[in-house]
Amino acid sequence: MEVLEVGAPDPALAAALAAAKYQPLRLPAGAERDAFLAEHGPSVTAAVVAGPPGVDGHLMKTLPNLGAIVNYGAGYDLVDVEEAQRRGIGVSNTPDVLNDSVADTAVGLVLATMRGLCAADRYVRAGRWPVEGPLALTRDVSGAQVGILGLGRIGAAIASRLLGFDCAISYHNRRQVPDCPYRYAGSPVELAESVDVLVVAVSGGNATRGLVSRQVLEALGEAGYLINVARGSVVDQDALVELLVSGRLAGAGLDVYTDEPHVPSALREQGNVVLLPHVGSATARTRAAMAALALRNLDEYLTRGTLTTPVLRPRRSR
């Protein structure tokens, strides 16, 4: 039985696999891939996904004995879950252990974007303060109307932090959360048009692709801010760029993009946009916890045929 690792190497995951005496095969890119899969594909029983290209239906077809896909992260949009279900392949993720770090990142983006902190840092570093004087006034985070799109584990952690800033919280989910203290909006558009800042915290995948549409962004308006710590696919990035460049949005704080690691130059040139390189969960403690949970899922599947934190339960035998 072989374990296949898919995606860019991650130090925390590599350390966890090595400590457990795993020596996974690594999926190559380019011309080497087909020959590699022809040789090793039939022996692979579990795959660990650490990033693109993920595991799609075509790759599953070349791994006839694959029984489980262990995702290193809470989001599993890089896995074709529908095809995995059809084939009886289990899928796991690493929920909860990254809630705090992603929520902290979201709040940091809210502060940096609304207060213009990164632009102010660049202003001082460029020596412009003595020459040009004070910067223009910015917006208070305290007391702001904040909309959370996706009040799951991470969304709830973001909301609880923003309560410390006396923010008024609203949210939208596919279904209203029972006994939730926050105001529920019936649609993303309704949520956007009622808040100062919209924080996107939904899961990725086909169900949420383009959820933050041009209509949602226009509803947010020229005084509104967008914060995205979810997935780039959730937001209509072309519309976002157009509205920012034309001044029909006040600003944006982004940790994710539609074609990572490539970020449009129009976004990079906007002084009212804060850009992070997908670092929402990138702390040593959190990545170690994610790696440990991914390893528990892998161990459990290879020894008992079950998963610790299943998104889909495996139906195939080991």
Side-chain angles (χ1 to χ4, degrees):
M1 297 188 295
E2 295 278 9
V3 175
L4 179 67
E5 189 173 358
V6 180
D10 180 272
L13 181 60
L17 290 169
K21 306 274 194 273
Y22 283 109
Q23 295 180 323
L25 301 169
R26 180 168 294 283
L27 182 67
E32 300 176 15
R33 176 171 160 144
D34 289 345
F36 172 89
L37 290 170
E39 179 181 356
H40 297 288
S43 65
V44 171
T45 57
V48 179
V49 179
V55 180
D56 59 12
H58 176 71
L59 182 56
M60 291 180 205
K61 187 176 180 180
T62 66
L63 305 172
N65 294 304
L66 181 66
I69 301 168
V70 175
N71 193 68
Y72 176 61
Y76 44 89
D77 49 305
L78 291 174
V79 176
D80 187 337
V81 176
E82 292 181 0
E83 182 64 16
Q85 184 172 32
R86 191 182 74 78
R87 292 175 176 270
I89 299 170
V91 179
S92 67
N93 67 339
T94 60
D96 294 324
V97 294
L98 46 65
N99 295 355
D100 287 339
S101 57
V102 176
D104 291 349
T105 300
V107 173
L109 279 171
V110 172
L111 286 163
T113 305
M114 294 184 71
R115 292 300 309 271
L117 299 182
C118 295
D121 175 83
R122 293 191 296 269
Y123 190 77
V124 173
R125 291 177 187 275
R128 295 171 60 191
W129 187 14
V131 178
E132 301 178 39
L135 284 169
L137 300 179
T138 59
R139 294 274 295 279
D140 280 319
V141 174
S142 295
Q145 302 279 336
V146 177
I148 309 290
L149 186 59
L151 196 71
R153 296 179 178 96
I154 293 173
I158 295 168
S160 68
R161 283 157 171 75
L162 289 171
L163 289 177
F165 291 87
D166 294 323
C167 293
I169 307 296
S170 306
Y171 77 99
H172 172 75
N173 279 1
R174 284 176 293 179
R175 289 176 292 276
Q176 192 167 353
V177 178
D179 302 318
C180 180
Y182 310 130
R183 184 183 71 84
Y184 178 73
S187 71
V189 171
E190 180 185 331
L191 180 64
E193 64 189 7
S194 66
V195 297
D196 302 309
V197 54
L198 179 65
V199 182
V200 184
V202 297
S203 58
N206 291 331
T208 59
R209 189 175 302 278
L211 183 65
V212 181
S213 62
R214 176 182 293 274
Q215 186 181 8
V216 173
L217 295 169
E218 289 176 344
L220 191 53
E222 64 181 17
Y225 297 83
L226 179 77
I227 306 297
N228 189 6
V229 293
R231 287 291 186 268
S233 61
V234 176
V235 176
D236 183 337
Q237 186 168 280
D238 291 340
L240 174 63
V241 170
E242 180 186 325
L243 294 174
L244 285 166
V245 170
S246 64
R248 287 180 284 167
L249 274 177
L254 308 173
D255 187 40
V256 290
Y257 313 89
T258 58
D259 184 27
E260 296 176 9
H262 306 291
V263 179
S265 59
L267 279 177
R268 290 185 276 114
E269 292 164 1
Q270 294 300 303
N272 59 342
V273 178
V274 178
L275 304 171
L276 303 181
H278 203 150
V279 294
S281 64
T283 70
R285 178 186 64 83
T286 295
R287 289 292 171 86
M290 289 166 57
L293 184 50
L295 186 63
R296 282 171 56 198
N297 276 285
L298 181 61
D299 285 340
E300 184 170 323
Y301 177 72
L302 293 177
T303 56
R304 297 199 292 274
T306 56
L307 292 166
T308 309
T309 52
V311 175
L312 281 179
R313 298 185 186 279
R315 297 200 307 272
R316 286 187 171 187
S317 59
R318 301 184 304 286

